Protein backbone atom coordinates (compact mmCIF):
# COMPACT_ATOMS: atom_id res chain seq x y z
CA UNK A 1 0.00 0.00 0.00
CA UNK A 2 1.36 3.43 -0.92
CA UNK A 3 2.67 5.33 2.04
CA UNK A 4 0.40 8.24 2.95
CA UNK A 5 1.78 11.76 3.25
CA UNK A 6 1.08 11.80 6.99
CA UNK A 7 2.76 8.40 7.48
CA UNK A 8 5.76 9.68 5.55
CA UNK A 9 5.93 12.76 7.77
CA UNK A 10 5.65 10.72 10.94
CA UNK A 11 8.40 8.38 9.70
CA UNK A 12 10.66 11.31 8.83
CA UNK A 13 9.97 12.92 12.23
CA UNK A 14 10.90 9.63 13.95
CA UNK A 15 14.14 9.44 11.95
CA UNK A 16 14.88 13.04 12.83
CA UNK A 17 14.43 12.56 16.57
CA UNK A 18 16.54 9.38 16.43
CA UNK A 19 19.30 11.27 14.62
CA UNK A 20 19.18 14.05 17.22
CA UNK A 21 19.43 11.47 20.01
CA UNK A 22 22.44 9.80 18.39
CA UNK A 23 24.11 13.17 17.85
CA UNK A 24 23.63 14.16 21.50
CA UNK A 25 25.09 10.84 22.68
CA UNK A 26 28.04 11.26 20.33
CA UNK A 27 28.68 14.83 21.51
CA UNK A 28 28.42 13.72 25.15
CA UNK A 29 31.11 11.08 24.61
CA UNK A 30 33.36 13.55 22.82
CA UNK A 31 32.94 16.16 25.57
CA UNK A 32 33.90 13.62 28.22
CA UNK A 33 37.02 12.64 26.27
CA UNK A 34 38.03 16.28 25.88
CA UNK A 35 37.58 16.84 29.62
CA UNK A 36 39.79 13.83 30.37
CA UNK A 37 42.43 15.08 27.95
CA UNK A 38 42.46 18.52 29.55
CA UNK A 39 43.00 16.94 32.97
CA UNK A 40 45.81 14.83 31.51
CA UNK A 41 47.40 17.95 29.98
CA UNK A 42 47.27 19.75 33.35
CA UNK A 43 49.07 16.87 35.05
CA UNK A 44 51.66 16.90 32.28
CA UNK A 45 52.37 20.62 32.81
CA UNK A 46 52.91 20.05 36.53
CA UNK A 47 55.33 17.20 35.88
CA UNK A 48 57.41 19.32 33.47
CA UNK A 49 58.52 21.44 36.45
CA UNK A 50 60.24 18.46 38.04
CA UNK A 51 63.57 16.67 37.47
CA UNK A 52 65.24 15.80 34.16
CA UNK A 53 64.29 12.19 34.68
CA UNK A 54 60.67 13.21 35.04
CA UNK A 55 60.95 15.33 31.90
CA UNK A 56 62.06 12.27 29.89
CA UNK A 57 59.09 10.38 31.23
CA UNK A 58 56.78 13.27 30.47
CA UNK A 59 57.93 13.43 26.87
CA UNK A 60 56.58 9.96 26.40
CA UNK A 61 53.39 10.97 28.19
CA UNK A 62 53.14 14.04 25.96
CA UNK A 63 53.50 11.83 22.92
CA UNK A 64 50.57 9.73 24.08
CA UNK A 65 48.55 12.86 24.79
CA UNK A 66 49.23 14.16 21.28
CA UNK A 67 48.01 10.88 19.88
CA UNK A 68 44.87 11.16 21.97
CA UNK A 69 44.35 14.74 20.81
CA UNK A 70 44.71 13.59 17.22
CA UNK A 71 42.03 10.98 17.80
CA UNK A 72 39.85 13.66 19.40
CA UNK A 73 40.26 15.85 16.33
CA UNK A 74 39.04 12.93 14.25
CA UNK A 75 36.07 12.53 16.55
CA UNK A 76 35.28 16.24 16.29
CA UNK A 77 35.44 15.95 12.53
CA UNK A 78 32.94 13.09 12.69
CA UNK A 79 30.74 15.21 14.95
CA UNK A 80 30.76 17.99 12.35
CA UNK A 81 29.82 15.44 9.71
CA UNK A 82 26.97 14.15 11.88
CA UNK A 83 25.75 17.71 12.43
CA UNK A 84 25.79 18.29 8.71
CA UNK A 85 23.71 15.15 8.17
CA UNK A 86 21.23 16.27 10.82
CA UNK A 87 20.91 19.70 9.19
CA UNK A 88 20.23 18.03 5.86
CA UNK A 89 17.51 15.92 7.47
CA UNK A 90 16.00 19.05 8.98
CA UNK A 91 15.98 20.67 5.57
CA UNK A 92 14.28 17.62 4.06
CA UNK A 93 11.63 17.60 6.80
CA UNK A 94 11.06 21.31 6.26
CA UNK A 95 10.46 20.67 2.57
CA UNK A 96 8.00 17.90 3.36
CA UNK A 97 6.13 20.09 5.82
CA UNK A 98 5.99 22.89 3.31
CA UNK A 99 4.61 20.59 0.61
CA UNK A 100 1.86 19.44 2.93
CA UNK A 101 0.94 22.93 4.06
CA UNK A 102 1.88 22.14 7.64
CA UNK A 103 4.06 23.91 10.15
CA UNK A 104 5.60 22.72 13.37
CA UNK A 105 2.83 21.83 15.81
CA UNK A 106 0.23 20.89 13.20
CA UNK A 107 0.98 17.20 13.62
CA UNK A 108 0.12 17.38 17.33
CA UNK A 109 -2.92 19.52 16.64
CA UNK A 110 -4.23 17.05 14.07
CA UNK A 111 -3.70 14.10 16.43
CA UNK A 112 -5.76 15.57 19.26
CA UNK A 113 -8.38 17.06 16.94
CA UNK A 114 -9.06 13.63 15.43
CA UNK A 115 -9.30 11.96 18.85
CA UNK A 116 -11.24 14.48 20.96
CA UNK A 117 -14.62 12.84 20.42
CA UNK A 118 -13.47 9.31 21.18
CA UNK A 119 -11.34 9.97 24.27
CA UNK A 120 -13.91 12.23 25.93
CA UNK A 121 -16.68 9.78 25.13
CA UNK A 122 -14.91 7.48 27.58
CA UNK A 123 -15.68 10.09 30.25
CA UNK A 124 -19.34 10.26 29.17
CA UNK A 125 -18.80 13.60 27.44
CA UNK A 126 -20.27 13.71 23.94
CA UNK A 127 -18.97 16.57 21.83
CA UNK A 128 -20.92 16.70 18.58
CA UNK A 129 -19.27 19.92 17.40
CA UNK A 130 -15.46 19.86 17.29
CA UNK A 131 -13.53 22.61 15.51
CA UNK A 132 -9.88 23.51 15.08
CA UNK A 133 -8.09 26.83 14.65
CA UNK A 134 -11.05 28.80 15.94
CA UNK A 135 -9.92 32.40 15.76
CA UNK A 136 -10.75 36.03 15.45
CA UNK A 137 -8.04 37.64 13.37
CA UNK A 138 -5.68 39.77 15.42
CA UNK A 139 -7.53 39.04 18.67
CA UNK A 140 -7.35 35.39 19.68
CA UNK A 141 -6.94 31.87 18.34
CA UNK A 142 -7.78 28.53 19.93
CA UNK A 143 -6.38 25.23 18.69
CA UNK A 144 -9.41 23.04 19.38
CA UNK A 145 -12.93 23.97 20.49
CA UNK A 146 -15.47 21.23 21.24
CA UNK A 147 -19.07 21.92 22.25
CA UNK A 148 -22.12 19.88 23.23
CA UNK A 149 -24.66 22.70 23.57
CA UNK A 150 -24.28 23.12 27.33
CA UNK A 151 -20.54 23.28 27.72
CA UNK A 152 -17.54 24.07 25.59
CA UNK A 153 -14.08 22.55 25.86
CA UNK A 154 -11.10 24.71 24.87
CA UNK A 155 -7.86 22.82 24.16
CA UNK A 156 -4.37 24.30 23.88
CA UNK A 157 -2.02 22.07 21.86
CA UNK A 158 1.78 22.05 22.05
CA UNK A 159 4.56 19.80 20.81
CA UNK A 160 6.14 19.93 24.28
CA UNK A 161 4.19 21.27 27.23
CA UNK A 162 5.82 23.38 29.96
CA UNK A 163 4.38 24.93 33.10
CA UNK A 164 4.59 28.47 31.81
CA UNK A 165 2.48 27.44 28.81
CA UNK A 166 -0.19 26.11 31.17
CA UNK A 167 -0.16 29.40 33.08
CA UNK A 168 -0.37 31.45 29.88
CA UNK A 169 -3.37 29.44 28.72
CA UNK A 170 -5.12 29.92 32.06
CA UNK A 171 -4.31 33.58 32.53
CA UNK A 172 -4.40 35.00 29.02
CA UNK A 173 -6.48 32.82 26.73
CA UNK A 174 -9.34 31.20 28.65
CA UNK A 175 -10.64 34.38 30.36
CA UNK A 176 -11.34 36.19 27.08
CA UNK A 177 -12.85 33.26 25.17
CA UNK A 178 -16.47 34.09 25.96
CA UNK A 179 -15.89 37.75 25.08
CA UNK A 180 -14.29 36.93 21.74
CA UNK A 181 -16.89 34.29 20.85
CA UNK A 182 -20.22 35.43 22.35
CA UNK A 183 -22.05 32.53 20.68
CA UNK A 184 -20.80 30.42 23.59
CA UNK A 185 -21.90 32.87 26.29
CA UNK A 186 -24.45 30.44 27.74
CA UNK A 187 -22.05 27.47 27.82
CA UNK A 188 -19.99 26.32 30.77
CA UNK A 189 -16.31 26.59 29.85
CA UNK A 190 -13.81 23.84 30.63
CA UNK A 191 -10.21 23.65 29.49
CA UNK A 192 -7.67 21.11 28.34
CA UNK A 193 -4.09 20.84 27.15
CA UNK A 194 -2.57 18.36 24.70
CA UNK A 195 1.09 17.66 23.95
CA UNK A 196 3.18 15.00 22.24
CA UNK A 197 5.88 15.42 24.89
CA UNK A 198 4.96 16.07 28.50
CA UNK A 199 6.80 15.49 31.78
CA UNK A 200 4.70 13.82 34.48
CA UNK A 201 5.04 16.77 36.85
CA UNK A 202 3.79 19.18 34.16
CA UNK A 203 0.78 16.97 33.49
CA UNK A 204 -0.04 16.81 37.20
CA UNK A 205 0.37 20.57 37.43
CA UNK A 206 -2.16 21.13 34.63
CA UNK A 207 -4.56 18.65 36.23
CA UNK A 208 -4.34 20.45 39.59
CA UNK A 209 -5.27 23.64 37.75
CA UNK A 210 -8.49 21.93 36.67
CA UNK A 211 -7.52 21.09 33.09
CA UNK A 212 -7.98 17.90 31.12
CA UNK A 213 -4.59 16.58 30.03
CA UNK A 214 -4.06 14.73 26.74
CA UNK A 215 -0.97 13.10 25.33
CA UNK A 216 -0.12 10.42 22.79
CA UNK A 217 -0.36 6.75 23.70
CA UNK A 218 1.97 3.94 22.76
CA UNK A 219 -0.02 3.12 19.65
CA UNK A 220 0.24 6.57 18.08
CA UNK A 221 -3.20 7.67 19.20
CA UNK A 222 -4.27 10.03 21.98
CA UNK A 223 -5.40 9.51 25.56
CA UNK A 224 -6.35 11.35 28.73
CA UNK A 225 -3.91 11.13 31.63
CA UNK A 226 -6.30 12.53 34.25
CA UNK A 227 -7.27 10.33 37.16
CA UNK A 228 -10.66 8.62 37.03
CA UNK A 229 -12.11 10.83 39.76
CA UNK A 230 -10.88 14.05 38.14
CA UNK A 231 -13.42 16.87 37.92
CA UNK A 232 -12.68 19.66 35.48
CA UNK A 233 -12.80 23.28 36.64
CA UNK A 234 -15.49 25.46 35.14
CA UNK A 235 -14.19 28.86 34.11
CA UNK A 236 -16.21 32.04 34.19
Amino acid sequence: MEESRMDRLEREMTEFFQAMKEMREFQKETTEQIRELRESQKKTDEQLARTDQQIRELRESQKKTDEQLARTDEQLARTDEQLAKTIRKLDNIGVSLGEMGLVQGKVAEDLFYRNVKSIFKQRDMIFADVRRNVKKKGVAEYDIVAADGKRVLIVEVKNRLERDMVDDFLIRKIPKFRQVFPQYKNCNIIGGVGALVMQDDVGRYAEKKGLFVMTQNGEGGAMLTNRENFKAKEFA
Side-chain angles (χ1 to χ4, degrees):
M1 182 179 294
E2 184 178 357
E3 184 180 34
S4 69
R5 299 176 78 185
M6 182 56 68
D7 289 340
R8 182 183 67 182
L9 175 59
E10 290 177 347
R11 174 173 58 76
E12 291 177 342
M13 290 293 285
T14 299
E15 292 174 353
F16 162 65
F17 286 123
Q18 181 62 30
M20 290 297 291
K21 180 180 179 182
E22 292 173 356
M23 183 189 71
R24 292 191 183 103
E25 292 175 350
F26 189 81
Q27 288 180 321
K28 181 179 179 181
E29 292 175 359
T30 303
T31 300
E32 180 61 23
Q33 290 174 340
I34 291 174
R35 184 186 66 80
E36 292 175 355
L37 287 172
R38 286 173 177 168
E39 293 177 354
S40 177
Q41 185 68 52
K42 181 179 179 181
K43 292 178 181 178
T44 300
D45 291 339
E46 294 173 349
Q47 290 174 338
L48 285 172
R50 299 179 182 178
T51 64
D52 292 343
Q53 179 64 29
Q54 290 174 320
I55 291 175
R56 286 192 294 271
E57 295 173 355
L58 287 171
R59 284 174 180 168
E60 182 62 27
S61 177
Q62 184 67 53
K63 180 181 178 181
K64 293 179 180 179
T65 299
D66 290 341
E67 292 174 352
Q68 290 176 324
L69 286 171
R71 288 195 293 271
T72 299
D73 289 340
E74 294 176 0
Q75 291 172 331
L76 288 172
R78 289 198 295 271
T79 298
D80 290 340
E81 182 179 354
Q82 185 65 41
L83 283 169
K85 290 180 180 178
T86 300
I87 291 172
R88 287 195 293 271
K89 287 184 178 181
L90 281 169
D91 290 340
N92 291 335
I93 290 172
V95 171
S96 297
L97 288 172
E99 291 174 350
M100 297 178 67
L102 297 174
V103 295
Q104 186 177 7
K106 293 301 182 183
V107 173
E109 184 180 295
D110 184 69
L111 171 67
F112 298 116
Y113 169 74
R114 289 186 287 106
N115 287 276
V116 162
K117 287 185 178 181
S118 61
I119 62 179
F120 278 92
K121 186 177 181 181
Q122 299 171 16
R123 296 292 179 100
D124 297 323
M125 302 173 70
I126 309 300
F127 292 111
D129 182 18
V130 180
R131 303 182 184 185
R132 64 194 298 180
N133 298 326
V134 178
K135 61 184 176 181
K136 185 174 182 180
K137 188 174 182 180
V139 179
E141 180 175 356
Y142 298 86
D143 297 324
I144 299 173
V145 175
D148 63 5
K150 295 181 179 180
R151 61 189 163 192
V152 57
L153 168 69
I154 310 167
V155 181
E156 179 82 350
V157 177
K158 299 292 183 182
N159 283 327
R160 181 184 181 90
L161 186 68
E162 303 291 349
R163 285 197 179 200
D164 60 340
M165 297 173 182
V166 175
D167 292 335
D168 180 71
F169 180 52
L170 291 167
I171 296 171
R172 187 176 62 86
K173 300 192 73 172
I174 289 182
K176 65 179 180 181
F177 177 81
R178 206 189 304 272
Q179 178 183 355
V180 177
F181 302 105
Q183 61 267 40
Y184 296 107
K185 65 181 180 179
N186 295 323
C187 295
N188 294 325
I189 297 177
I190 56 178
V193 289
L196 298 180
V197 180
M198 182 188 309
Q199 297 295 328
D200 289 341
D201 63 319
V202 177
R204 295 284 78 82
Y205 177 76
E207 183 181 58
K208 288 180 181 179
K209 293 294 185 178
L211 300 174
F212 282 105
V213 181
M214 293 184 289
T215 189
Q216 61 181 337
N217 59 29
E219 300 174 352
M223 66 179 185
L224 283 172
T225 65
N226 300 84
R227 291 167 290 186
E228 288 297 328
N229 62 348
F230 170 74
K231 184 176 181 181
K233 178 180 178 180
E234 292 187 358
F235 298 91

